[in-house]
Amino acid sequence: QRHMKNGIKNILVTGGAGYIGSHTVEALSEKGYKSIIVDDFRNSDKSVMEGLNILCKIKPLYFEIDCTDEKLMRFIFKYYKIDGVIHFAAYKAVGESIDKPDLYFHNNIQSLTVVTKLMNEFGISNLVFSSSCTVYGQPDSVEVSEDQEHKPASSPYGYTKQVGEQYLDFLSKSSQNIVKSTLLRYFNPIGAHPSGLIGELPNGVPNNLVPYICQSAIGLIGPLTVFGNDYDTPDGTCVRDFIHVVDLANAHIAALEKQFSSEASISIYNVGTGKGTSVLELINTFEMVTGETLLYNVGPRREGDIVKIYANTQKVNKELAWKSEYTVADALLHAWKWQKQLVYKRSIQYKIDSL
Ligand code: NAD
Ligand code: WQD
């Protein structure tokens, strides 16, 4: 017996307990889909499920399974009627990937091949894959569109996304294949759900800018170091396309729904705001919206950093009828709300544990 209740579509969400995955599970419920999460919590916390259970009208199911494990994954495909798959599960820390390329290639590629193999075996044709602007490498132009030439990736992590994309491209041309894939190239996701109930939970000292800023502002870690202010940009700091994670989550629903009615075997979209914001501008906006003063100093450039990049979003705006709605200021306010709530919840837990 394969389960589907009341005609509601089931979406398998690998990595659904993670940062972008959890926001997408919430967005799926909002649009009337049921999520079947596969996540072994290697880079997330089970407490995410509490937030999701409060937020989601259609409650997600979750399975604590390693999605590189084909045998275990086959149980899910056997037991549930799955209408589409959103594949988030991967390792994503650029620096760590330089030290542990084997882990990154194994997890990021094996999980993808297991998912597509089972999709073909069970006749499931809709896949949305998490790609990244990292596939562009250090681009020649600052505004990148999907057909931009790919430069070599600057890390093993970046290569796993380039290889994942190439794999799906080869697969789309195979006569044995029925999987239609949409590759979403995310720019820099930031922020949290406006409720403050789900957000980003980095392990250890954060590598990414916004989690670092929030943890520093709340006093968990020391002052921020701005990695270089002598770049060829208006204020000397790097420029990125920061996109609110809820907008990014909604892009997945748009991609999935387009795919349900499309014959295209592979489609690629940039998912960004189309606007560049510098590191200093982001810091100033954070101070403005939160009323906090952020302590920071300027340090040397970080090796491998892209100087300036933002998305050309014409294709995604037109073909998926999707565009970002939130501003960077909204995203920073929501990230701050999440950070404050997290510290509050953890301090209560600490008191309970020490009783
Ligand atoms: P995340 O680490 O918060 O989420 C990934 C989730 O996948 C985690 O919950 C982790 O426990 C789970 N996971 C990893 N490997 C697994 C496995 N083998 N089996 C089961 N679960 C596994 O990361 P995120 O920021 O939500 O990123 C999601 C996806 O988007 C990743 O593919 C990432 O490479 C991609 N991406 C992220 C960013 C970003 O800046 N956050 C940018 C571009 C692309
Ligand atoms: C943003 C800017 C830093 C921390 C990474 C991955 C990319 C994609 C998104 C997954 C840069 C500066 C940062 C700090 C700083 N992920 N910074 N001090 O490097 O654009 O992209 O995440 O696919 O592949 O490389 O994001 O948040 O690390 O940095 O000055 O303590 O903030 O130099 O200019 P990045 P980031």
Side-chain angles (χ1 to χ4, degrees), residues 14-22 38-45 63-69 87-93 107-108 111 129-134 157 160-161 184-190 200-201 208 248 252:
T14 73
Y19 174 44
I20 307 168
S22 57
V38 170
D39 199 309
D40 61 6
F41 302 102
R42 67 182 67 192
N43 198 38
S44 45
D45 194 277
F63 294 89
E64 202 172 333
I65 287 177
D66 175 350
C67 59
T68 64
D69 187 327
H87 180 53
F88 291 106
Y91 288 135
K92 63 164 180 179
N107 195 29
N108 296 9
S111 61
F129 172 65
S130 299
S131 189
S132 166
C133 63
T134 192
Y157 166 73
T160 68
K161 292 297 173 188
L184 299 183
R185 292 180 181 155
Y186 315 154
F187 280 67
N188 288 57
I190 60 165
E200 194 167 6
L201 268 178
N208 294 114
L248 175 57
H252 292 78

Side-chain angles (χ1 to χ4, degrees), residues 92 94 132-134 157 187-189 207-210 212 224-227 238 240 242 279 302 305-306:
K92 63 164 180 179
V94 173
S132 166
C133 63
T134 192
Y157 166 73
F187 280 67
N188 288 57
N207 298 309
N208 294 114
L209 182 61
V210 172
Y212 199 105
L224 172 77
T225 301
V226 172
F227 298 140
C238 293
R240 294 289 182 274
F242 296 101
V279 172
R302 181 171 70 178
D305 259 343
I306 309 289

Side-chain angles (χ1 to χ4, degrees), residues 239-255:
V239 170
R240 294 289 182 274
D241 187 336
F242 296 101
I243 173 157
H244 196 298
V245 67
V246 171
D247 281 331
L248 175 57
N250 285 327
H252 292 78
I253 322 296

Side-chain angles (χ1 to χ4, degrees), residues 55-67:
L55 284 172
C56 294
K57 288 180 211 134
I58 303 174
K59 305 292 173 215
L61 294 175
Y62 79 88
F63 294 89
E64 202 172 333
I65 287 177
D66 175 350
C67 59

